[in-house]
Amino acid sequence: METLMKLFKNNIRQYGMIIALVLIMIFFQIITGGLLLEPINITNLILQNSYILILAIGMVLVIITGHIDLSVGSVAAFVGAVAAVMMVDMQLHPVIAVIASLIVGGLIGAWQGFWVAYVRIPAFIVTLAGMLLFRGLTMIVLDGQSISPFPGGFQKLSSGFVPDFGNTGTNLVAILVGIAFTVIYVINELRDRKSQKKYNFDVLPGGLFLLKLFLMAAVINAFTFMLASYAGLPNILILLLVLIIIYSFVMNKTVMGRHIYALGGNEKAAALSGVKTKKVTFWVFVNMGVMAAISGLMFAARLNAATPRAGTNFELDAIAASFIGGASATGGIGTVFGAIIGGLVMGVLNNGMSLVGLGIDWQQGIKGLVLLAAVAFDIYNKKKSSAS
Amino acid sequence: MSEYILEMRNITKAFPGVKALDSVNLKIREGEIHSLCGENGAGKSTLMKVLSGVYPHGTYDGDILFKGKVCEFKSIKDSEDLGIVIIHQELALIPYLSIAENIYLGNERAHKGIVDWNETIRGAKELLGKVGLTENPNTPVGTIGVGKQQLVEIAKALSKKVKLLILDEPTAALNEDDSENLLQLMLEFKKQGISCILISHKLNEVSKVSDSITILRDGKTIETLDMHGKEVNEDRIIRGMVGRDLTSRYPERTPKVGEVILEIKDWTVYHELQADRKVIDGANLHIRRGEIVGIAGLMGSGRTELAMSVFGRAYGRNISGELYKNGQVIQNRTVTEAIANGFAYVTEDRKDYGLILIDDIKRNISLTGLPKLARNMVIDEREEILVAEEMRRKLKIKTPNILQKTGNLSGGNQQKVVLSKWIYSEPDILILDEPTRGIDVGAKFEIYSIINQLADEGKGVLVISSELPEILGICDRIYVMNAGRITGEVSKEEASQETLMRYMTKNGGA
């Protein structure tokens, strides 16, 4: 029991938000009378939050470098508007329009990255300007009105499902993907554990390790089973998973990722160690622009319209997700996975409170308190661990 | 009435692990200029912090008597109320506020919280007149030169009805005219009955204006010299400052010196912010393979600026001069390029410039050499662990494992992590800036052994240090810098603390 408590204490920062997420889910599951975890609601949760989660991936990178991006909501709206003009007004093929939209996002990111990295204007100011600028441009491009409808193929991007084979009632693809993920996860964990043991690093005791594997396997398969019993895997979930895997890999295993963490941890030391700090900052902003573009496209596709007010407050949700997920406002700390968990905490809160019938006024207030509590908890833990 | 305006008796101040001051005595006569001399770390600044109340009563032992009365200062405010004002080396002015606002900062001419601007400007003008500065009191401080800023600081001190003025390295940032001006002003104040304590490394200035000199060394009072009595010259002062025994705190080594590996020619660097101020002025030096070359110099002499400007222009602007590696001209335009050219620079300030404290040992060690660990930009983490483990073993980094955050390590172990990082980048030329600052004696010996080993592998090593015994103990050849110039070059055989100190306090080029 004592070792368990010690283990819990040591890992509370790592697992704290997952535990919080589970508790929040259990809470709403109970007070909504089981509505929260209905297959249809789970699917909805994913569809509703995917574009915030995509933004959160880009945002956590920006925050790790020690900056912030307030413009992503406006950029998402602007890219959605540009895409609508290309697809609806100009009748361009969706593939061409999507590629062009991503390039536009990248260029916007490059514009902001230039001011932040090379002119060294604080990101807060650059992106505040961007927030106003691109909101204005959105209205100009749309002429103040919504443009719709998008071609069917494009809509499918964010509201469609992966096609199934056979017709057994439950979706086989979803279940098979769940099983495949479980196998990959277990193999990976076992391999990591083996190499960690080899170098005498601390590892979980055997029993707990098995419990962790079992729990994760159960969660993954329960999740895919739920999806299978409604309509299967949403296309956007696949996109999201691919992005999570790619960005986790980049941040953990590549030189670029290390340089991002080093830059955020101590810019001066990183520069004197040969990290091209300006270039790294610039590309992190370019990446954020592309992610905002993806998010804007998904949102427009889901809404089946590009509107002047699209993406309002997206930036705040993405920033909140990153901080709830353990990113540090001073840079150097944060994970893609954490940001996703943070985004899910916000998403479940939104969804649960809506199911209960709580007004938007209360929802906003409660989300604000959750953000504050999460960061306070994080700082408290940091102080405690640095004191010992 | 006592003859002395200030007496500090048996002042002892200990920090964890070090006794910064050990029964120090200091007596200042009414209306004299009294200089305080000693090497970096001798305890001058600590003593002044005790006097001014930065270290409040109770955190040190001993008594402070001001005008014969025992004082117990709890804060700077208490000492200033009695007329003891200290002007620090780094000026404490706010650049965006006007001269008048700065003079009365914290001491505003106000009635019931409302500032009387007429009185402020009038008072400021009067004070500026006393220090001989003809500037409009409404001018923002940031727009006037450093010399004039220094005068504003003094005017600020006068506004507090100063009885005892303490100047910490007042001329370090000033050119010769401004310095001369300031010294004249001190003599003027003396006539008006204001006592002065002058802390300075420039011995010619010290002997010019002082009435007496107290020498500190290793936190102890060595002696107080009366400048009016028998002949006291700079050599006499230097002997007092350095006279300490050299025990064998340095590992034995027989240097195997080879070809010249690095040559720096006519290196000139301007200050990053003050575009017209030369920080390095026409420096020439060379390093051979297998040689440990030292740069001695007092703080502010330009040692670090020289190193950082050579290391990929990490400091300064309008850098001119040439670098030759193995006889070939090279360019170090960026840090990345310098690293690619086989340079490594271990910074003076480990915590701010050397390490990423929130990251673990492994990641800090691999940071510079990451491209070597990566295939197609993907890091081979097994290899990374092996590298970090090997460094831990070789350099004897004391840690449970390599996943410890570097912020939790002791100074010596942190420095070993920094060294590991650069050793892994396999440099040909290592520049080590204060490699043993803040490190205990045992770890120092280990660091020296590592440095020796690197030199024996045929690398060129440049060591910058404020500690003369260290420079003398490990270097084969020593350059001395003062005010941005290289003022001397001495071989190990002819080097002594006295010769080095003479060059270090010498004005002008060699």
Side-chain angles (χ1 to χ4, degrees), chain B residues 143-425:
Chain B
T143 61
I144 62 176
V146 192
K148 289 177 177 175
Q149 290 186 8
Q150 187 75 260
L151 295 176
V152 173
E153 275 276 16
I154 294 172
K156 185 175 170 184
L158 291 178
S159 82
K160 293 169 185 163
K161 307 262 179 295
V162 62
K163 302 278 187 321
L164 176 62
L165 181 65
I166 303 161
L167 296 157
D168 190 355
E169 291 287 345
T171 59
L174 302 188
N175 63 29
E176 274 171 38
D177 287 349
D178 286 344
S179 300
E180 183 58 36
N181 209 343
L182 188 79
L183 296 176
Q184 289 305 323
L185 194 62
M186 287 178 69
L187 292 171
E188 183 61 33
F189 286 163
K190 186 177 137 183
K191 282 184 199 154
Q192 297 169 17
I194 298 174
S195 314
C196 262
I197 298 178
L198 172 67
I199 300 175
S200 178
H201 286 311
K202 297 188 183 164
L203 295 185
N204 54 347
E205 295 176 359
V206 165
S207 37
K208 193 166 168 185
V209 297
S210 304
D211 298 304
S212 45
I213 298 176
T214 294
I215 296 171
L216 293 184
R217 190 203 311 149
D218 298 331
K220 296 193 181 82
T221 322
I222 300 306
E223 55 192 339
T224 298
L225 303 169
D226 185 350
M227 298 301 285
H228 298 301
K230 53 193 179 302
E231 195 62 30
V232 178
N233 56 19
E234 289 178 33
D235 287 345
R236 176 71 188 78
I237 304 170
I238 289 171
R239 220 179 313 141
M241 283 165 69
V242 297
R244 106 182 93 182
D245 331 329
L246 269 183
T247 45
S248 68
R249 298 202 308 247
Y250 306 95
E252 285 293 322
R253 163 171 167 269
T254 329
K256 294 177 288 247
V257 176
E259 302 288 294
V260 171
I261 188 165
L262 174 71
E263 191 160 12
I264 301 174
K265 275 190 181 164
D266 287 329
W267 201 253
T268 299
V269 179
Y270 286 83
H271 195 273
E272 285 206 320
L273 304 174
Q274 295 158 261
D276 57 342
R277 188 167 148 208
K278 272 187 192 173
V279 186
I280 305 294
D281 190 357
N284 286 294
L285 61 87
H286 66 273
I287 307 168
R288 296 192 183 86
R289 281 183 188 279
E291 190 182 32
I292 302 179
V293 176
I295 298 186
L298 295 161
M299 269 185 233
S301 59
R303 302 164 306 175
T304 299
E305 289 79 1
L306 173 66
M308 285 184 75
S309 58
V310 168
F311 188 64
R313 301 187 185 170
Y315 174 87
R317 58 172 166 185
N318 293 338
I319 297 169
S320 61
E322 280 152 357
L323 296 176
Y324 295 87
K325 186 185 167 192
N326 298 326
Q328 305 279 316
V329 180
I330 52 160
Q331 298 280 347
N332 279 357
R333 279 168 300 222
T334 62
V335 172
T336 317
E337 203 171 13
I339 293 170
N341 280 328
F343 283 71
Y345 173 54
V346 174
T347 53
E348 175 180 23
D349 182 338
R350 287 189 282 287
K351 292 188 171 166
D352 277 353
Y353 290 87
L355 288 171
I356 297 171
L357 296 172
I358 58 173
D359 268 354
D360 59 32
I361 296 173
K362 172 173 67 95
R363 283 172 164 233
N364 270 287
I365 290 178
S366 63
L367 183 58
T368 301
L370 274 182
K372 282 205 294 180
L373 281 172
R375 263 176 298 261
N376 299 326
M377 297 305 275
V378 179
I379 296 162
D380 183 342
E381 291 187 78
R382 270 155 220 270
E383 184 69 25
E384 185 184 22
I385 291 168
L386 291 178
V387 167
E389 280 290 347
E390 191 193 331
M391 288 297 172
R392 176 172 84 123
R393 228 181 29 252
K394 261 175 59 189
L395 273 64
K396 303 194 188 75
I397 302 170
K398 286 176 206 76
T399 169
N401 62 49
I402 51 172
L403 297 184
Q404 281 291 314
K405 286 209 172 98
T406 50
N408 298 337
L409 299 176
S410 71
N413 284 311
Q414 285 183 341
Q415 190 68 317
K416 288 180 191 172
V417 174
V418 178
L419 284 169
S420 303
K421 172 171 83 177
W422 288 112
I423 291 171
Y424 181 59
S425 77

Side-chain angles (χ1 to χ4, degrees), chain A residues 112-356:
Chain A
Q112 305 201 108
F114 165 75
W115 293 108
V116 176
Y118 294 101
V119 190
R120 297 195 71 94
I121 299 177
F124 189 93
I125 294 167
V126 171
T127 59
L128 182 63
M131 180 179 170
L132 301 170
L133 172 63
F134 295 109
R135 180 62 64 192
L137 286 179
T138 307
M139 294 185 196
I140 293 168
V141 168
L142 292 177
D143 215 0
Q145 288 167 356
S146 297
I147 296 181
S148 63
F150 281 104
F154 178 69
Q155 284 179 48
K156 278 273 183 295
L157 261 183
S158 89
S159 52
F161 293 85
V162 179
D164 194 19
F165 48 84
N167 44 4
T168 48
T170 45
N171 186 301
L172 275 178
V173 173
I175 289 176
L176 287 176
V177 167
I179 292 169
F181 252 96
T182 314
V183 172
I184 294 170
Y185 173 76
V186 170
I187 291 174
N188 241 328
E189 284 289 301
L190 286 173
R191 221 176 44 192
D192 276 3
R193 185 179 169 83
K194 208 172 118 194
S195 70
Q196 280 174 349
K197 266 190 173 163
K198 195 170 132 198
Y199 299 116
N200 284 329
F201 296 161
D202 297 334
V203 290
L204 286 173
L208 275 176
F209 179 70
L210 280 180
L211 183 72
K212 179 182 158 195
L213 284 189
F214 177 77
L215 277 178
M216 280 303 290
V219 168
I220 293 172
N221 286 291
F223 176 66
T224 48
F225 183 76
M226 295 265 199
L227 293 176
S229 58
Y230 178 60
L233 293 175
N235 288 332
I236 196 159
L237 178 65
I238 302 292
L239 174 69
L240 192 57
L241 287 176
V242 169
L243 288 175
I244 293 171
I245 290 166
I246 290 176
Y247 278 89
S248 292
F249 180 80
V250 167
M251 292 305 284
N252 289 326
K253 309 258 176 186
T254 67
V255 176
M256 182 75 179
R258 284 297 177 79
H259 282 184
I260 292 172
Y261 278 112
L263 162 64
N266 184 342
E267 186 178 350
K268 287 179 261 179
L272 285 173
S273 300
V275 175
K276 291 172 180 155
T277 49
K278 289 178 184 172
K279 203 172 132 190
V280 171
T281 309
F282 176 78
W283 284 103
V284 165
F285 273 91
V286 171
N287 175 68
M288 181 78 253
V290 174
M291 298 304 262
I294 297 176
S295 174
L297 289 173
M298 292 304 131
F299 187 70
R302 180 171 151 73
L303 226 60
N304 196 17
T307 69
R309 304 303 316 165
T312 311
N313 286 350
F314 277 18
E315 62 280 342
L316 301 182
D317 282 343
I319 292 167
S322 303
F323 286 137
I324 290 176
S328 157
T330 47
I333 296 174
T335 58
V336 171
F337 184 70
I340 294 296
I341 297 293
L344 287 176
V345 167
M346 300 286 278
V348 171
L349 275 174
N350 272 337
N351 181 275
M353 288 190 288
S354 300
L355 288 179
V356 181

Side-chain angles (χ1 to χ4, degrees), chain B residues 380-509:
Chain B
D380 183 342
E381 291 187 78
R382 270 155 220 270
E383 184 69 25
E384 185 184 22
I385 291 168
L386 291 178
V387 167
E389 280 290 347
E390 191 193 331
M391 288 297 172
R392 176 172 84 123
R393 228 181 29 252
K394 261 175 59 189
L395 273 64
K396 303 194 188 75
I397 302 170
K398 286 176 206 76
T399 169
N401 62 49
I402 51 172
L403 297 184
Q404 281 291 314
K405 286 209 172 98
T406 50
N408 298 337
L409 299 176
S410 71
N413 284 311
Q414 285 183 341
Q415 190 68 317
K416 288 180 191 172
V417 174
V418 178
L419 284 169
S420 303
K421 172 171 83 177
W422 288 112
I423 291 171
Y424 181 59
S425 77
E426 295 177 338
D428 303 317
I429 299 150
L430 270 117
I431 306 172
L432 308 169
D433 200 347
E434 301 285 359
T436 64
R437 172 172 292 175
I439 292 176
D440 65 75
V441 181
K444 275 186 182 175
F445 191 88
E446 290 179 337
I447 303 261
Y448 297 141
S449 306
I450 296 166
I451 295 174
N452 286 349
Q453 200 188 333
L454 290 168
D456 291 344
E457 286 168 14
K459 301 181 194 305
V461 182
L462 188 66
V463 175
I464 297 171
S465 177
S466 297
E467 289 181 46
L468 291 182
E470 175 172 290
I471 289 263
L472 292 168
I474 61 169
C475 296
D476 305 321
R477 196 156 53 83
I478 301 159
Y479 289 99
V480 188
M481 288 188 75
N482 186 26
R485 295 200 182 100
I486 291 186
T487 50
E489 178 187 350
V490 256
S491 67
K492 188 184 187 106
E493 291 71 34
E494 57 190 12
S496 68
Q497 299 205 40
E498 282 80 5
T499 37
L500 293 185
M501 188 59 87
R502 196 166 299 125
Y503 283 121
M504 280 157 78
T505 48
K506 175 177 162 184
N507 291 343

